[in-house]
Amino acid sequence: MTDSRDRQRKHTALLLLVAVGMFGFAFALVPLYNVFCELTGINGKTSGQAAVSVQTSPILEREVTIQFLAHVGRGMPWEFRPMESRLRVRLGEVNETRFYVRNHANQAVTGQAVPSVAPGLAARYLHKIECFCFTQQTLEAGEEMEMLVKFYMGVDLPADINTLSLSYALFPVTVAQTTGLEIDRDSSDITSAAHEEHSGS
Amino acid sequence: MIAHAENIPRGRHPLVQFIARWVLTTNHKEIGTLYLCLSFTLFMIAGAMAMLFRLELAQPGLQFVTANFYNQTVTLHGLIMVFGAVMPAFVGLANWMIPMMIGAPDMALPRLNNFSFWILPFAFFMLLSTLFMEGGAPNFGWTLYAPLSTTYGPPSTDFLIFGIHLMGISSVLGAINIIVTIFNLRAPGMTLMKMPLFVWTWLITAFLLIMVMPVLAGAVTMMLTDRHFGTSFFSAAGGGDPLLFQHVFWFFGHPEVYILILPGFGIASQIIPTFSRKKLFGYRSMVYATVSIAILSFIVWGHHMFATGMPLVAELFFMYATMLIAIPTGVKVFNWVATMWRGSLTFETPMLFALGFVVMFTIGGLSGLMLAIVPADFQYHDTFFVVAHLHYVLYPGAIFATMGAVYYWLPKWTGNMYNERLGKIHFWIAVVGLNVTFFPMHFVGLAGMPRRIVDYSLPFSDLNLVSSIGAGFLGLSQLLFLYIVVQTIRGGEKATDQVWEGAEGLEWTIPSPAPHHTFETPPHVE
Amino acid sequence: MTSITNRVQSFLILAVLWVFSQNASAQMFDMRRGVTDMSQRVQSLHHLIFGICVVVGAIVFIVMFYSIIAHRRSKHPEPAKFHESTAVEVVWTLIPTLILIGAAVPATMTLIDIEDNSDADLTVLITASQWKWHYQYVEAGIGFYSNLTTPLEQINNVDPKGEYYLLEVDNPLVLPTNLKVRFLTTSDDVIHSWWVPDFAVKQDAIPGFINEAWTRVNTPGVYRGQCTELCGMNHAFMPVVVEVRSEEDFLSWIDDQRLANELAGEAAVAARSRDWTMAELMPMGEDVFLTHCATCHQPDGMGQGIKYPALAGGVIPTGPVEAHLERVMNGLAETEMQAWAPQLSDLELAAVITYERNAWGNDTGDVVQPLTVYSAR
């Protein structure tokens, strides 16, 4: 009898361990997913790391078109647009383009650009040597700037890709990074409004 | 170890005694009953929500509810049906039947059993209370897609998250209990390959639960930290990715679909042989098919996400893997038909529900195969075709199976036979209601009606009206079911120990009604 | 009993078919054929797999119902004893496998072609937001919003519903025939999905990321679809309307758009070169408010709970003008409050802000001029 009790206890403990392990696994899915994205090009996420600029392969004759797109996130008081809408580039050749930004707010605002490439598969072959998306950008009130992207296309880009789009979505940093304070501001804003709704009615 | 109802101190008020008995019980039969009662209550609540939104959808235009409230009912209908109606119903059946089927005196961990049940009422109280909160209940669909559920979710979302945590703990503990019971308390001679199929399917379901419920808990925890603690797992603005949520959710979600189906497979595999008076055909292949379905369920989650812009290779992989699942599922259907073949069939209510399950589950399974075909899925995805598919799978697979099981085992539980005539009427209303409700949804989906919309354009009007009328019948049939069950508990023709002449298994060797304690000395299985 | 099963089922199917053959063509029961080569291939694929399912289902059901009838106890009192056959199991594992391979091959070929987004003639960037679409012609550099035009009176059953109830917009997406059009989808807030059934194109729009799809339409016409991913309250009210014109008409339409943009620019200059009175701005502002703001903040400015704060007596509309301008023009991150600067003209913004500051007893007396809006841009 005690034998079977022990066995039951062992089984229970083991199964609990599996359950706890699977809870951890859910969080392990986050880095796993990022690896998976990089391999398969889900969402066209590009590497957050600067590529080395040393040319190891020759520049090819083959040319592709790159379109540049800019997207201003909600609550971002910036003007943001590509200064060239597209470029024709040769594979392996280092090119650069600029994006124009201007802060229309009355105070300094920090933004973070998030890149995305279509087709997603091409993201692996777009090597950025310099990019404003590697760091956060802060603009003073009314300040304008031209932000640089320096990149080359990998020579092993699959043959069926001849046009790709590089899009940057620009988000305000404050909310994501200092949530505690910021949400407080927002919610106090909202709750006081809600409060007034009550007192008003 | 086992707390006896008789142990409760006497001399108190009868109501106190009654409450104490049910709150403190560690008896597997009583806990099974509690699970089944809770499940039916929640089934009626979630069903009432379905009645409400079918009423709204009967005609184009907004008549009864606001768009926001419609979304709330759609969300809660899904969540409660999955976590509140179907899963507790299966756990209730497992509690009642698994010890009786394997010749065990009780579940292996009776106090844990009590605990895992009593978590649930609180979890669902929390979930339902969101309806009365400012900002309303969660309104983003039971799939909880970020960022609609994170950044844009109503404040009540946090209650939903904690509710899911509680349900998850309950399910995991329940599953552990079932596995430990099956591994340790089988009667001498009851080898694994002699276990009834209901026990087998539950064993596999329990493993699935332990593997995936924690993943869901992880996903909603990430939602919680995204909402309040400054992380951005699912927000592009902070370097995260909304699609990650879908991957994590469906990694849980697809095995979850099989959690909702496998015990149903087990029930059909008990009922069909009984009323065919013939042994289950291909017992071994049934077990292997169940195991392979469970394993495959871990590598097909991507088929819920074909329209999210997956790379070609991933689409192909998930398409092929999904198509593979059709093979073991087909084997099961073929085995049931072969069990019936040249048997000696009668059609009492449990058999009718089991046959209804096989026929309509097959229809749902086949439309599932259609959904696996990626190019066609671009047209089906997120339309009413999917709604039709999932209800053809889940309604027969979970609800019909559970009701068949209740009719099948009710005489053993209560000692009384149910009213056969009413049972058959119940079945026919339900089967007609189900088909009238969900069959037209295939067509509105193909014609281009997206799911989860509160209002639709004119070409979809006629078929939606038909669906709503069918839903009314389906809803009413549940009241009849309640009446039949209550009537049987209160009395009726006495059941024999054997109950069904063709039935085999240990549960039929004990008296009807099953006494409070059974198999205190384990039986010997040849 | 069993023959009743059969009769009831066939009766049901016939009854349903009959009812709908009265007022609809057979097309109602089929996937739409559509107007692109791809949509037609997808429909053929649907027919193939549907046919397979019908045949497989029919075989299973025929055997099953035969058994139900022939092997019922009154006809077949002695059950057979067999319960195993490896040969049979192998056969019914292999045959489905072969059928599945037969379906997978054409599906794979079609899918490979669907995912070939290369060599497009023009690119349209589709940006979704709650609950409207924005279309941008990347090469031509023009863009506009596309909003539902079905009046509230029709939705609330006051007026009779029109032919294209819930499937009509102010500015449809205009596309040329015969050219390969590449769509890029993205979103401003939550996940949406852009679907035109007649093109067999359905692509999720995900905030922060872009996705690709393409089409090549053969026949001019107007094609309608809807958002197909639950995106909040008004998910049912963001239709997709695409007007396909001949290549020539399309090019002249593009020129017209450019001209219209210039005229709008001139109008804007005219608007900000003079001062507007409260009497002029208020009715204009009310129109703008009812069209764009009232869904959330309600026509009486009372809002809806925490998520959509009341504007009547609200902090922002009664606070400083600058903050009000800022909020309306740029929206608020992580909420459903959109940035309206790209969507409305200086005059419209001036009007609606003036309206919000003076309606519902707010009575601040502030008159916001288009020039003020312009300089805040």
Side-chain angles (χ1 to χ4, degrees):
Chain A
M1 202 59 203
T2 44
D3 257 13
S4 94
R5 283 255 143 253
D6 284 352
R7 225 162 69 109
Q8 283 184 27
R9 245 178 237 136
K10 215 177 79 188
H11 284 168
T12 311
L14 213 65
L15 290 167
L16 270 175
L17 211 66
V18 173
V20 172
M22 288 309 289
F23 184 72
F25 177 72
F27 290 87
L29 279 172
V30 180
L32 277 177
Y33 173 72
N34 287 333
V35 173
F36 189 64
C37 283
E38 243 172 69
L39 291 180
T40 59
I42 290 178
N43 274 348
K45 286 187 215 175
T46 57
S47 168
Q49 302 293 316
V52 278
S53 57
V54 182
Q55 279 299 308
T56 48
S57 45
I59 296 166
L60 300 190
E61 284 304 305
R62 192 182 142 205
E63 288 190 340
V64 291
T65 304
I66 301 191
Q67 296 170 326
F68 301 105
L69 302 165
H71 179 89
V72 184
R74 188 165 289 175
M76 193 67 187
W78 287 15
E79 186 179 342
F80 177 46
R81 57 185 158 79
M83 301 186 67
E84 296 162 293
S85 69
R86 87 206 99 180
L87 268 184
R88 196 89 185 129
V89 301
R90 293 196 297 170
L91 299 190
E93 176 187 60
V94 176
N95 280 275
E96 53 181 63
T97 189
R98 275 160 214 277
F99 283 71
Y100 173 83
V101 273
R102 188 192 152 108
N103 180 6
H104 286 289
N106 293 331
Q107 75 259 24
V109 173
T110 304
Q112 168 73 55
V114 175
S116 175
V117 173
L121 216 51
R124 273 170 76 189
Y125 305 94
L126 177 70
H127 304 287
K128 287 179 286 191
I129 299 161
E130 264 183 78
C131 178
F132 56 90
C133 60
F134 292 155
T135 54
Q136 295 174 356
Q137 307 290 325
T138 304
L139 291 192
E140 297 303 321
E143 190 185 348
E144 57 182 352
M145 194 160 77
E146 289 173 10
M147 303 192 298
L148 178 74
V149 187
K150 205 166 164 188
F151 66 95
Y152 65 93
M153 290 305 303
V155 290
D156 43 356
L157 183 76
D160 57 339
I161 298 175
N162 45 37
T163 303
L164 54 143
S165 306
L166 171 59
S167 160
Y168 288 99
L170 190 65
F171 295 102
V173 164
T174 36
V175 180
Q177 256 60 23
T178 56
T179 318
L181 292 172
E182 199 60 24
I183 292 286
D184 274 355
R185 179 180 69 80
D186 291 345
S187 54
S188 67
D189 205 327
I190 289 167
T191 39
S192 56
H195 178 73
E196 293 198 15
E197 175 199 12
H198 288 306
S199 54
S201 56
Chain B
M1 181 70 223
I2 298 164
H4 296 256
E6 303 84 54
N7 287 352
I8 292 160
R10 289 170 192 284
R12 300 256 177 90
H13 190 277
L15 187 69
V16 175
Q17 275 187 33
F18 176 82
I19 292 174
R21 171 186 164 196
W22 287 100
V23 170
L24 300 176
T25 181
T26 55
N27 178 288
H28 72 102
K29 300 184 183 80
E30 290 182 340
I31 292 176
T33 305
L34 286 173
Y35 267 112
L36 289 172
C37 292
L38 176 74
S39 146
F40 190 75
T41 311
L42 292 167
F43 178 63
M44 294 306 275
I45 293 172
M49 286 173 188
M51 295 299 110
L52 190 62
F53 60 66
R54 268 327 313 177
L55 193 65
E56 174 57 50
L57 288 174
Q59 295 274 306
L62 294 184
Q63 288 93 12
F64 301 100
V65 298
T66 62
N68 198 16
F69 189 70
Y70 172 87
N71 289 347
Q72 297 173 23
T73 52
V74 168
T75 305
L76 289 178
H77 167 78
L79 282 167
I80 297 178
M81 280 295 184
V82 168
F83 295 106
V86 177
M87 284 164 66
F90 282 155
V91 179
L93 291 173
N95 258 295
W96 255 106
M97 299 317 301
I98 286 177
M100 279 157 64
M101 289 172 118
I102 61 172
D106 202 309
M107 298 295 281
L109 310 161
R111 278 174 294 191
L112 190 73
N113 205 8
N114 173 291
F115 179 61
S116 44
F117 171 78
W118 281 109
I119 292 175
L120 283 182
F122 295 97
F124 287 100
F125 177 77
M126 233 159 134
L127 186 58
L128 284 169
S129 69
T130 58
L131 273 172
F132 306 100
M133 289 178 189
E134 191 169 1
N139 53 6
F140 30 70
W142 85 278
T143 47
L144 322 174
Y145 278 8
L148 191 59
S149 63
T150 50
T151 315
Y152 298 86
S156 60
T157 307
D158 303 328
F159 285 80
L160 164 102
I161 291 171
F162 287 124
I164 287 180
H165 279 142
L166 290 180
M167 294 166 209
I169 292 171
S170 164
S171 307
V172 167
L173 295 181
I176 289 177
N177 205 349
I178 286 169
I179 296 174
V180 175
T181 306
I182 294 174
F183 278 166
N184 295 288
L185 297 186
R186 293 195 311 278
M190 175 66 80
T191 59
L192 283 177
M193 289 314 271
K194 274 190 194 156
M195 291 195 311
L197 234 100
F198 178 69
V199 182
W200 253 116
T201 50
W202 238 117
L203 178 64
I204 293 157
T205 305
F207 273 109
L208 286 180
L209 278 168
I210 293 175
M211 302 283 281
V212 300
M213 286 308 290
V215 175
L216 176 67
V220 295
T221 307
M222 289 186 237
M223 266 173 70
L224 186 74
T225 60
D226 264 18
R227 284 169 60 82
H228 297 299
F229 303 111
T231 60
S232 27
F233 290 108
F234 308 133
S235 155
D241 184 345
L243 272 190
L244 170 65
F245 178 83
Q246 298 187 23
H247 282 283
V248 181
F249 180 85
W250 286 114
F251 183 84
F252 143 82
H254 206 77
E256 169 68 20
V257 171
Y258 290 98
I259 289 169
L260 302 175
I261 291 283
L262 292 183
F265 286 172
I267 291 163
S269 308
Q270 300 298 131
I271 295 176
I272 292 176
T274 297
F275 296 96
S276 304
R277 292 165 184 77
K278 191 161 157 277
K279 276 182 83 171
L280 182 69
F281 186 86
Y283 174 90
R284 273 171 186 281
S285 68
M286 283 300 235
V287 173
Y288 298 147
T290 314
V291 175
S292 37
I293 288 172
I295 293 171
L296 283 174
S297 74
F298 282 98
I299 56 163
V300 296
W301 79 89
H303 69 215
H304 297 269
M305 305 170 55
F306 285 145
T308 58
M310 267 192 190
L312 177 64
V313 275
E315 284 175 335
L316 289 175
F317 171 79
F318 287 121
M319 171 162 84
Y320 299 148
T322 307
M323 292 172 89
L324 266 185
I325 282 199
I327 296 168
T329 314
V331 166
K332 287 190 153 282
V333 173
F334 300 146
N335 277 334
W336 289 320
V337 176
T339 307
M340 291 160 63
W341 191 254
R342 291 183 51 216
S344 179
L345 280 63
T346 51
F347 302 95
E348 287 84 347
T349 310
M351 182 62 163
L352 288 179
F353 274 98
L355 294 181
F357 157 73
V358 175
V359 170
M360 278 169 306
F361 177 79
T362 305
I363 294 174
L366 289 169
S367 61
L369 182 61
M370 296 172 72
L371 283 158
I373 307 293
V374 186
D377 181 75
F378 287 138
Q379 295 284 61
Y380 309 137
H381 176 75
D382 250 328
T383 68
F384 261 80
F385 189 85
V386 177
V387 179
H389 157 74
L390 76 93
H391 284 93
Y392 260 91
V393 179
L394 282 179
Y395 204 105
I399 312 293
F400 267 32
T402 305
M403 290 186 166
V406 169
Y407 282 112
Y408 185 55
W409 283 311
L410 196 59
K412 176 59 63 188
W413 299 340
T414 63
N416 303 321
M417 291 304 285
Y418 60 87
N419 184 328
E420 189 61 61
R421 203 182 146 73
L422 285 182
K424 281 182 175 151
I425 292 172
H426 169 213
F427 170 74
W428 284 110
I429 298 177
V431 85
V432 170
L434 190 152
N435 284 290
V436 174
T437 309
F438 298 114
F439 210 73
M441 289 183 185
H442 289 114
F443 301 127
V444 282
L446 288 177
M449 180 169 166
R451 66 191 285 202
R452 292 168 168 173
I453 57 176
V454 64
D455 194 7
Y456 49 84
S457 54
L458 302 180
F460 308 132
S461 314
D462 295 340
L463 287 172
N464 268 291
L465 182 60
V466 174
S467 281
S468 290
I469 292 170
F473 279 101
L474 201 50
L476 283 178
S477 75
Q478 317 308 341
L479 297 177
L480 182 58
F481 175 71
L482 179 65
Y483 174 76
I484 296 169
V485 173
V486 171
Q487 196 195 34
T488 314
I489 294 171
R490 296 171 68 110
E493 188 195 329
K494 292 291 160 229
T496 60
D497 294 354
Q498 175 66 27
V499 185
W500 312 108
E501 52 155 303
E504 279 180 29
L506 291 176
E507 77 261 39
W508 310 110
T509 62
I510 54 183
S512 302
H516 203 63
H517 298 295
T518 42
F519 296 129
E520 287 187 299
T521 35
H524 249 283
V525 181
E526 294 313 313
Chain C
M1 194 72 238
T2 51
S3 53
I4 295 176
T5 320
N6 269 342
R7 256 182 260 155
V8 168
Q9 289 218 337
S10 46
F11 169 78
L12 262 176
I13 291 165
L14 281 178
V16 169
L17 287 177
W18 181 81
V19 167
F20 296 107
S21 60
Q22 296 305 300
N23 52 11
S25 59
Q27 241 185 338
M28 191 156 178
F29 299 100
D30 197 0
M31 180 185 279
R32 292 209 222 171
R33 182 155 179 72
V35 289
T36 65
D37 293 349
M38 200 49 81
S39 71
Q40 290 162 12
R41 277 175 70 181
V42 169
Q43 194 209 27
S44 312
L45 197 59
H46 163 72
H47 287 164
L48 170 75
I49 183 77
F50 179 60
I52 291 175
C53 288
V54 168
V55 171
V56 172
I59 292 171
V60 172
F61 295 153
I62 286 170
V63 174
M64 195 173 153
F65 281 99
Y66 177 80
S67 178
I68 286 176
I69 293 163
H71 302 146
R72 64 187 197 267
R73 181 141 69 162
S74 52
K75 280 276 166 66
H76 197 256
E78 263 313 299
K81 293 278 178 244
F82 68 90
H83 60 87
E84 230 163 5
S85 163
T86 313
V88 171
E89 300 274 2
V90 169
V91 168
W92 68 37
T93 308
L94 280 184
I95 292 178
T97 312
L98 293 179
I99 294 174
L100 289 178
I101 293 172
V105 171
T108 306
M109 288 179 344
T110 308
L111 185 59
I112 289 172
D113 291 342
I114 285 180
E115 293 294 332
D116 176 13
N117 294 293
S118 59
D119 296 312
D121 299 302
L122 76 146
T123 304
V124 177
L125 173 65
I126 302 171
T127 309
S129 57
Q130 285 173 328
W131 293 275
K132 57 178 80 87
W133 302 97
H134 179 265
Y135 300 114
Q136 187 190 340
Y137 294 78
V138 173
E139 289 85 357
I142 53 174
F144 51 84
Y145 283 88
S146 182
N147 288 290
L148 176 77
T149 50
T150 303
L152 268 173
E153 290 78 21
Q154 287 187 23
I155 296 172
N156 292 330
N157 311 305
V158 178
D159 288 351
K161 297 180 178 20
E163 187 185 357
Y164 295 114
Y165 176 68
L166 297 187
L167 295 178
E168 48 199 350
V169 297
D170 50 2
N171 302 306
L173 173 66
V174 177
L175 294 180
T177 50
N178 302 321
L179 293 186
K180 182 165 182 175
V181 183
R182 176 166 165 263
F183 300 114
L184 296 173
T185 57
T186 186
S187 166
D188 243 352
D189 35 47
V190 301
I191 301 177
H192 302 260
S193 192
W194 195 82
W195 183 33
V196 180
D198 286 324
F199 303 168
V201 171
K202 182 182 287 154
Q203 190 69 65
D204 282 4
I206 296 166
F209 301 101
I210 53 173
N211 262 330
E212 264 188 320
W214 66 274
T215 192
R216 190 193 296 271
V217 187
N218 302 328
T219 8
V222 178
Y223 306 103
R224 293 163 206 272
Q226 279 177 271
C227 174
T228 41
E229 182 65 64
L230 178 60
C231 57
M233 194 166 63
N234 289 349
H235 169 48
F237 307 112
M238 57 182 293
V240 174
V241 180
V242 184
E243 202 179 310
V244 178
R245 304 185 181 191
S246 71
E247 218 175 309
E248 223 170 87
D249 286 359
F250 172 76
L251 290 175
S252 68
W253 175 84
I254 292 273
D255 288 339
D256 290 350
Q257 291 303 301
R258 290 213 175 95
L259 192 64
N261 280 351
E262 269 171 45
L263 289 176
E266 282 168 25
V269 173
R272 66 177 177 259
S273 59
R274 75 173 178 92
D275 272 354
W276 296 68
T277 64
M278 169 103 68
E280 284 174 307
L281 290 175
M282 283 300 278
M284 222 187 289
E286 184 173 7
D287 275 355
V288 176
F289 184 82
L290 291 177
T291 314
H292 296 288
C293 320
T295 355
C296 296
H297 294 292
Q298 298 297 294
D300 57 2
M302 290 317 292
Q304 302 178 63
I306 306 175
K307 281 189 85 175
Y308 311 109
L311 300 184
V315 184
I316 301 254
T318 56
V321 177
E322 293 71 33
H324 194 177
L325 267 173
E326 201 275 325
R327 178 61 50 90
V328 174
M329 290 175 72
N330 300 319
L332 181 62
E334 317 237 304
T335 69
E336 287 163 32
M337 181 60 194
Q338 312 192 352
W340 292 97
Q343 305 186 43
L344 300 175
S345 70
D346 296 343
L347 181 58
E348 285 170 317
L349 284 165
V352 76
I353 293 170
T354 305
Y355 177 74
E356 286 174 2
R357 300 186 72 78
N358 294 289
W360 323 297
N362 281 357
D363 300 331
T364 56
D366 297 329
V367 179
V368 177
Q369 295 297 334
L371 183 60
T372 320
V373 176
Y374 174 73
S375 32
R377 273 187 194 270

